[in-house]
Amino acid sequence: MNFLAHAWLSRHGSDDFLYGNLIADGVKGAHLESWPTAVAAGIRHHRRVDAGIDHHAEVLQLLQMAPRAQRRYTGIALDLVWDHFLASRHPDATLVERCYRVLGEREAPARLAGMVPVMIEGDWLQRYADFDFTCRAIAGIGQRLRGPNQLAALTPWLRDEYANLEAAFVTLWPEMQHRFSE
């Protein structure tokens, strides 16, 4: 769950729009009528960004390089890797504090309710600057999935491919900003 990347791309919008971007992974379905208009717009924006990133040439190339056994999980790991590069290359404490405030003032969807307070308390968004922390977060997500922890198994590959991941980010991020900044 790449909270920081989605926050960056929606930082110029209202708090409701930002909130929608931050919680979108916890919202299922296409019917968003029960959400305030700006929150629903943020959820839709998040989903457009995800689709754009998932189909970007850099991401598709990395997916082909990933170990076959973990390939279907690689996109999840890459989302957090993008947050790592944002936190380490473009730290923005003001944006992080805004995210924590916006998330802390509202009730998170059930799928995120247990994680959001822990994320805020542990200052995950700034700690993603530490790649070891990011890898632990990736492995932690893998613990919540069924079966063997394929995300934990993927972290050695992420470490080995760090330079390629960083090069992909350097290409990917400006394009995402140009295409999706609100």
Side-chain angles (χ1 to χ4, degrees):
M1 298 185 183
N2 52 337
F3 288 99
L4 195 54
H6 286 286
W8 262 88
L9 296 174
S10 61
R11 70 186 184 277
H12 298 301
S14 69
D15 283 355
D16 283 344
F17 183 76
L18 174 62
Y19 177 72
N21 273 276
L22 294 172
I23 62 150
D25 284 331
V27 176
K28 291 296 180 193
H31 300 289
L32 304 175
E33 298 81 21
S34 63
W35 294 96
T37 303
V39 174
I43 293 167
R44 284 191 286 280
H45 181 262
H46 176 113
R47 291 173 179 176
R48 284 191 306 274
V49 169
D50 279 355
I53 290 174
D54 290 347
H55 293 95
H56 193 280
E58 294 292 332
V59 172
L60 295 174
Q61 182 178 351
L62 288 169
L63 291 174
Q64 291 304 308
M65 294 169 54
R68 178 169 244 102
Q70 288 85 34
R71 199 166 285 162
R72 75 180 273 223
Y73 301 94
T74 304
I76 297 168
L78 291 177
D79 281 352
L80 272 76
V81 168
W82 307 144
D83 274 6
H84 160 70
F85 288 120
L86 279 171
S88 62
R89 294 169 143 261
H90 306 287
D92 187 339
T94 303
L95 176 61
V96 168
E97 289 304 317
R98 181 178 174 212
C99 290
Y100 293 157
R101 178 183 54 76
V102 165
L103 288 168
E105 292 173 349
R106 296 164 172 85
E107 186 174 337
R111 294 183 70 228
L112 301 177
M115 186 194 67
V116 166
V118 174
M119 178 184 70
I120 294 169
E121 179 69 27
D123 193 19
W124 293 5
L125 299 183
Q126 292 194 85
R127 291 183 67 199
Y128 283 144
D130 175 359
F131 194 63
D132 288 334
F133 178 84
T134 303
C135 287
R136 287 191 305 274
I138 291 167
I141 292 171
Q143 290 176 337
R144 295 192 300 267
L145 302 175
R146 282 186 255 202
N149 190 336
Q150 297 296 338
L151 285 169
L154 187 61
T155 58
W157 176 80
L158 295 171
R159 291 180 192 286
D160 290 346
E161 294 297 327
Y162 189 89
N164 288 326
L165 297 169
E166 188 171 27
F169 175 80
V170 167
T171 299
L172 173 73
W173 185 242
E175 292 178 24
M176 292 296 107
Q177 286 185 48
H178 176 73
R179 187 171 167 197
F180 293 111
S181 284
E182 292 280 333

